[in-house]
Amino acid sequence: PSRSASTMPTEMARTHARGLVDYLNDAWTAYHATRATCEALARRGFVELDERATWSLARGGKYFYTRNASAVVAFAVGGGYEPGDGFVIVGAHTDSPCPKLKPNTRVEGGDEVRVRVQPYGGGLWHTWFDRDLGIAGRVVVKSSHTGEILHRLVRIDRAVCRIPTLAIHLDRNVNSEGMKVNFQQHMAPILATRAKAEAKDDDEGGEKTTASDGKGSSERHHPLLLTLLAKELGCAPGDIVDFDLQLCDTQPSAIGGAQNEFIYSGRLDNLASCYTSLHALMNASTDEALADARGVRMIMHFDHEEVGSESSSGAAGAMTTDAVKRIAAALSQGSVEGLDERTRRASFCVSSDMAHALHPNYADRHEPAHAPKMHGGLVIKHNANQRYATDAVTAFMFREIGERAGVPVQEFVVRSDTGCGSTIGPIFSTRTGIRTVDVGAAQLSMHSIREVCGADDIDHAVKHLTAVYLHFIDLDRTLIVDGAIGTLCRPCDVFESATSKLSLDVRDDAADAARTYAE
């Protein structure tokens, strides 16, 4: 059951809320989120690794590395680590639904310069209309002078484009029938009027926008777009040979509400989980915390969750198995029988992704007995059809650790007549065999350009996840699920009924009928 929580934010809750807002304002894209995470880790003494280089890891060491610059793995090794010890992992994702620029963005014709975009993930696209939009992402730059090729991040944080709605005078039924968005037809943002853009291009010279790769970026993109990017990057427009860019809301993230109890922002799903897991790991990775600790404490922030996770940097790829296998091997001397398999079976993952809070204006869309509230602590997500990876054992462990840490915990299940979303949890547990629980902080307006969550829950999440890192391995030793039958049987531990504590070697019908297993 949920515990009551104060509606007034504590000072620590305010600190974490402000920290999340700062993080969100830096983390416009998955690439920027990854960079912000890595910068925080480096400041706390984590050492950067390169997957292409040889690793030398030590007990008590703290490390991180990136993949595709949009996903990050960070881990701290316990000072008492022994081969076969488990990994305690918190998984989250760096991506959020957004309009992404197409490979050829140029739109011919019309009086305005528009940009071709495509949908990434399942966004509430009507919320992107009439917003002040910037552009951000990564760019591949090839110097026309030196031939050097660079991978650069870019962020145009002023309002350079906009997707206008159709006036109600031309769409009389929009309020009664709803706004029907055709992404191909309606979502191309306006960058400028063509008259102004062409005057600007004439002033600066068209030759500057011919790409150094020989194809000609000005054939694929309007020179004005390339000029805007080049100005931010400090290069020539023609040096831009490719990019992965998206539209972003320029309105800063903020703390709001009458009591400053809310966080208003885009990308709360799921950068709030990235932020809280990052700070929990750093809390649990001080020299004192690691001195005698067993196992490995880890965060894995994946990309591409919103589109299925199937990529080299997504949870359905090899990133997790690569990390666990390589780290365990690097920490072990010589060959150890079944090291990878033993490590994964001793491990535990918290799949942390935002949850649906009870919407006061749509209460009928929620399961009445499972209606999470903001400020109520992390939500354990359940689904009988494995849309979430939670089971009775992983839910108990997560709930028990939270209760011992003094933080509230909630439960969620979708209505039986409603489809259920999913997370990296089922993918992660299927690919790795690692026990997993799905959780998340409660929020409203999920997948809108502007979402809202409770400020207190950021502090709740940091405390709860920190406690998981610190206490899971000890708790895990007290609960026997597998390896307790037959020759390994310990009857007093296996049977939950005092009247049925019978040896499994007894073979009679009455005993079999009375025997009750703990699992």
Side-chain angles (χ1 to χ4, degrees), residues 167-238:
I168 194 169
H169 312 82
L170 304 176
D171 190 8
R172 293 288 185 181
N173 298 324
V174 65
N175 288 329
S176 58
E177 298 179 2
M179 186 175 183
K180 298 177 176 62
V181 179
N182 180 310
F183 205 100
Q184 177 70 20
Q185 286 184 275
H186 305 146
M187 287 288 289
I190 295 174
L191 191 65
T193 59
R194 194 166 297 279
K196 290 288 186 180
E198 290 175 354
K200 178 75 171 175
D201 189 38
D202 290 340
D203 290 342
E204 298 191 359
E207 280 73 29
K208 294 181 182 179
T209 62
T210 301
S212 57
D213 66 350
K215 173 142 184 170
S217 285
S218 61
E219 297 177 7
R220 297 190 291 129
H221 313 292
H222 194 280
L224 181 58
L225 174 61
L226 297 176
T227 299
L228 288 170
L229 294 171
K231 184 177 180 181
E232 293 294 327
L233 293 166
C235 69

Side-chain angles (χ1 to χ4, degrees), residues 136-153:
R138 67 170 171 183
V139 178
V140 180
V141 177
K142 182 178 180 180
S143 173
S144 55
H145 300 294
T146 66
E148 184 181 15
I149 302 174
L150 300 172
H151 178 274
R152 301 279 302 279
L153 301 192

Side-chain angles (χ1 to χ4, degrees), residues 299-359:
I299 56 172
M300 302 196 75
H301 294 173
F302 299 98
D303 195 3
H304 301 131
E305 188 273 347
E306 297 292 356
V307 293
S309 294
E310 294 186 347
S311 69
S312 63
S313 52
M319 198 162 79
T320 304
T321 52
D322 287 352
V324 172
K325 185 175 183 178
R326 186 171 185 181
I327 293 166
L331 291 169
S332 303
Q333 300 297 322
S335 177
V336 178
E337 189 280 325
L339 177 62
D340 180 41
E341 294 81 0
R342 287 166 52 201
T343 299
R344 285 187 281 124
R345 290 307 300 142
S347 297
F348 182 68
C349 175
V350 178
S351 166
S352 184
D353 202 348
M354 299 297 279
H356 298 293
L358 174 68
H359 197 304

